[in-house]
């Protein structure tokens, strides 16, 4: 288990470029299984979750090559070996990577078989895969549970399109069903589909491969199945979660930084949500400038009631940034209610912030009230453990603003989603040691 040792109180300055989007990368890399032709993917983030998925593809005998310091990959799934499905090690690694569930749709659509082990990932509460299973079952997928190997074996005699009303606007569920439907017979309609930028970019990539998807950017997707798909080049967009993390980090440490090449037009309400907690976010073309903040004050609603920051399906605020908003609010002036609707364990890291002196009331598993006292209350250093990716980056932000030297254990959780974050931040003036 690796550790970050952070000396807090140092201001950052300079420019930083966000990595390729983790969530998009997992989707488009699974999509390479849909064709036997070569696919080139640029701006691939060098993070644990993505690297683990690529290794799973290698184990299946997908031809994988990387160039440009492994920021560009080529994939060719022209001859797969399904013997790895019988490997205990393969199943364990697949189970530990939640994004691997999105291999089911492409494998079923093209080869008629797939497996689904018990999935792991972040410990942030119940994360069911019923949306994936129900959608694929309605298209003709058959699930049989192997109790000895603790996995589902999935088969089909041929997927068929139909009308699918998703029980929730799941991003990975939508991606999985979408990839299954592009090679299915007939027409598939997906209603209550997720419409996050990740799904939009995946859909655009599939259309360039020869798929016929309409309704992109809405919650109603219509897919006319085709017999085969061709190769393509695709560039992964900037990671909006990293962009948001850097905005919060700059404000909380009183730093002046520029986030370059943010894909600003695809950030939705993220910049405006930070403005609601008093942070100045200045657009400069496709870049974002966050000037140094001595203080920042949380807005109230027009009737004077406490501000609420809540997650919602796109174009609402992504739940992946609520941990950052929570920690940023601890050093603001004013109060805010953070409402995490999706995951019931994602706010449980607040006890670490309270140990640092933050004024937080955990109302229930989904809601926390943060009472910000601005410069009157500086966080103090402490020892912490990163429970998941997003809480991990929030704790790192807190440690960078705290007085003294903090320690964060289990930083592999942070590495799953943030590429060489210690080196990149140290170049801006942070003092982070990896041990």
């Amino acid at each position: 288990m690796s550790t970050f040792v952070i000396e807090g109180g140092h201001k950052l300055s300079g420019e930083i470029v966000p990595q390729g989007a983790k969530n998009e990368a997992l989707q488009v890399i699974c999509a390479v299984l849909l064709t036997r032709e070569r696919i080139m993917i640029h701006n691939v983030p060098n993070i644990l979750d993505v690297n683990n998925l690529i290794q799973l593809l290698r184990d299946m005998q997908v031809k994988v090559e990387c160039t440009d310091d492994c920021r560009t990959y080529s994939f060719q799934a022209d001859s797969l070996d399904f013997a790895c499905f019988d490997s205990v090690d393969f199943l364990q690694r697949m189970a530990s990577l939640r994004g691997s569930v999105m291999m089911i749709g492409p494998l079923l659509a093209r080869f008629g078989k797939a497996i689904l082990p018990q999935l792991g990932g972040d410990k942030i509460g119940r994360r069911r895969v019923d949306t994936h299973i129900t959608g694929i079952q309605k298209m003709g997928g058959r699930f049989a549970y192997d109790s000895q190997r603790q996995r589902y074996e999935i088969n089909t005699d041929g997927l068929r399109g139909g009308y699918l009303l998703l029980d929730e606007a799941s991003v990975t569920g939508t991606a999985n069903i979408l990839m299954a439907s592009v090679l299915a017979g007939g027409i598939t309609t997906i209603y209550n589909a997720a419409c996050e930028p990740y799904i939009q970019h995946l859909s655009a990539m599939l259309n360039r491969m020869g798929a016929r998807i309409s309704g992109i950017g809405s919650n109603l997707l219509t897919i006319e199945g085709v017999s085969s798909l061709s190769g393509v080049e695709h560039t992964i967009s900037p990671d909006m979660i990293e962009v948001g993390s850097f905005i919060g980090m700059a404000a909380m440490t009183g730093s002046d930084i520029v986030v370059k090449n943010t894909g600003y037009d695809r950030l939705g309400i993220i910049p405006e949500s930070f403005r609601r907690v008093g942070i100045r976010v200045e657009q400069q073309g496709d870049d974002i400038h966050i000037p140094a903040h001595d203080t920042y004050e949380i807005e109230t609603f027009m009737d004077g009631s406490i501000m609420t920051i809540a997650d919602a399906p796109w174009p609402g605020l992504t739940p992946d940034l609520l941990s950052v908003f929570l920690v940023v609010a601890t050093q603001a002036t004013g109060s805010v209610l953070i409402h995490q609707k999706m995951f019931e364990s994602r706010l449980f890291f607040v006890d670490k912030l309270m140990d640092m002196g933050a004024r937080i009331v955990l109302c229930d598993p989904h809601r926390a009230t943060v009472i910000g006292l601005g410069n009157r209350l500086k966080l103090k250093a402490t020892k912490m453990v990163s429970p998941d990716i997003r809480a991990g980056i929030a704790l790192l932000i807190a440690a960078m603003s705290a007085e003294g030297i903090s320690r964060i254990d289990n930083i592999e959780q942070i590495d799953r989603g943030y590429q060489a974050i210690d080196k990149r931040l140290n170049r801006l003036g942070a003092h982070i040691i990896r041990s």
Side-chain angles (χ1 to χ4, degrees):
M1 182 183 296
S2 299
T3 298
F4 279 154
V5 178
I6 308 104
E7 183 178 278
H10 295 279
K11 294 189 176 185
L12 313 181
S13 64
E15 300 177 346
I16 191 166
V17 179
Q19 67 188 25
K22 167 184 177 282
N23 293 341
E24 180 182 341
L26 295 175
Q27 294 177 17
V28 299
I29 290 172
C30 287
V32 307
L33 296 169
L34 286 165
T35 178
R36 63 179 295 109
E37 295 188 15
R38 189 166 178 258
I39 291 181
M40 295 281 293
I41 302 180
H42 306 285
N43 199 29
V44 177
N46 182 15
I47 54 178
L48 283 179
D49 276 8
V50 170
N51 294 339
N52 289 340
L53 177 60
I54 292 172
Q55 185 57 49
L56 290 175
L57 295 183
R58 285 192 172 106
D59 293 343
M60 297 170 66
Q61 301 305 307
V62 175
K63 298 181 179 68
V64 180
E65 298 178 358
C66 68
T67 60
D68 188 23
D69 294 328
C70 284
R71 294 180 68 251
T72 293
Y73 279 83
S74 70
F75 301 89
Q76 189 163 8
D78 56 350
S79 179
L80 296 193
D81 180 3
F82 288 89
C84 58
F85 284 3
D86 295 320
S87 164
V88 173
D89 175 68
F90 181 88
L91 291 177
Q92 288 176 342
R93 288 186 288 113
M94 185 177 179
S96 67
L97 175 62
R98 192 165 189 85
S100 66
V101 69
M102 291 183 289
M103 294 196 294
I104 294 174
L107 288 173
L108 270 186
R110 186 170 164 216
F111 300 101
K113 58 183 178 181
I115 58 169
L116 175 62
Q118 184 68 38
L119 296 173
D122 286 329
K123 306 303 181 185
I124 56 177
R126 184 178 62 95
R127 303 178 73 187
R128 60 189 181 88
V129 293
D130 300 58
T131 302
H132 304 247
I133 294 173
T134 302
I136 289 172
Q137 283 177 328
K138 289 181 178 179
M139 297 175 69
R142 299 187 300 272
F143 287 72
Y145 186 67
D146 183 336
S147 58
Q148 182 177 359
R149 297 181 178 179
Q150 296 186 326
R151 71 183 195 185
Y152 283 97
E153 297 178 351
I154 315 165
N155 294 276
T156 183
D157 297 324
L159 297 177
R160 298 290 304 176
Y163 175 77
L164 303 177
L165 175 57
L166 305 189
D167 61 342
E168 63 176 358
S170 164
V171 175
T172 54
T174 299
N176 216 352
I177 296 167
L178 178 63
M179 288 187 282
S181 67
V182 293
L183 294 179
I187 296 176
T188 304
T189 302
I190 307 175
Y191 195 29
N192 195 30
C195 52
E196 272 79 354
Y198 316 127
I199 296 293
Q200 297 178 38
H201 301 153
L202 172 65
S203 299
M205 171 182 165
L206 293 173
N207 276 351
R208 294 197 305 275
M209 294 170 67
R212 297 174 181 173
I213 305 168
S214 59
I216 298 172
S218 76
N219 68 346
L220 178 60
L221 297 175
T222 302
I223 306 97
E224 182 181 349
V226 297
S227 59
S228 64
L229 296 175
S230 61
V232 74
E233 284 196 42
H234 178 78
T235 300
I236 296 173
S237 58
D239 194 319
M240 63 182 180
I241 312 303
E242 263 214 344
V243 172
S245 300
F246 294 147
I247 294 172
M249 184 179 296
M252 196 163 175
T253 58
S255 303
D256 187 317
I257 70 169
V258 174
V259 186
K260 303 287 291 184
N261 306 325
T262 64
Y264 192 92
D265 293 339
R266 297 185 292 272
L267 293 177
I269 66 170
I270 291 173
E272 187 56 36
S273 297
F274 278 106
R275 294 184 183 111
R276 291 172 67 189
V277 296
I279 297 173
R280 296 194 299 279
V281 180
E282 302 172 354
Q283 180 184 3
Q284 299 178 346
D286 199 38
D287 303 337
I288 290 176
H289 175 227
I290 305 96
H293 288 69
D294 293 326
T295 60
Y296 48 98
E297 184 172 352
I298 299 171
E299 295 179 1
T300 59
F301 288 117
M302 291 182 66
D303 63 358
S305 58
I306 185 173
M307 175 62 62
T308 299
I309 301 291
D311 59 339
W314 191 267
L317 183 64
T318 171
D320 284 345
L321 276 176
L322 281 197
S323 299
V324 173
F325 275 96
L326 191 151
V327 74
V328 167
T330 66
Q331 297 300 284
T333 300
S335 300
V336 64
L337 175 67
I338 302 293
H339 191 174
Q340 165 60 265
K341 300 174 185 176
M342 187 171 294
F343 303 115
E344 66 269 17
S345 300
R346 207 167 211 174
L347 297 182
F348 286 173
F349 78 102
V350 301
D351 61 335
K352 314 295 192 305
L353 298 177
M354 288 188 274
D355 288 344
M356 301 177 78
R359 304 290 180 90
I360 303 172
V361 178
L362 186 60
C363 308
D364 57 44
H366 291 275
R367 296 178 301 165
T369 299
V370 184
I371 304 165
L373 300 178
N375 289 335
R376 290 177 291 165
L377 176 66
K378 289 290 186 181
L379 298 181
K380 59 180 183 292
T382 189
K383 180 178 179 179
M384 302 169 276
V385 177
S386 173
D388 65 76
I389 300 174
R390 307 310 175 187
I393 198 68
L395 293 176
L396 179 59
I397 293 171
M400 291 171 63
S401 72
E403 296 178 335
I405 296 177
S406 296
R407 177 189 178 102
I408 303 177
D409 293 328
N410 194 30
I411 61 170
E412 288 81 4
Q413 288 288 353
I414 302 175
D415 290 336
R416 287 178 49 216
Y418 293 85
Q419 176 178 318
I421 191 65
D422 50 330
K423 295 179 181 178
R424 296 161 68 200
L425 295 179
N426 283 342
R427 285 196 288 268
L428 298 180
H431 286 213
I432 304 170
I433 298 173
R434 181 186 293 263
S435 63

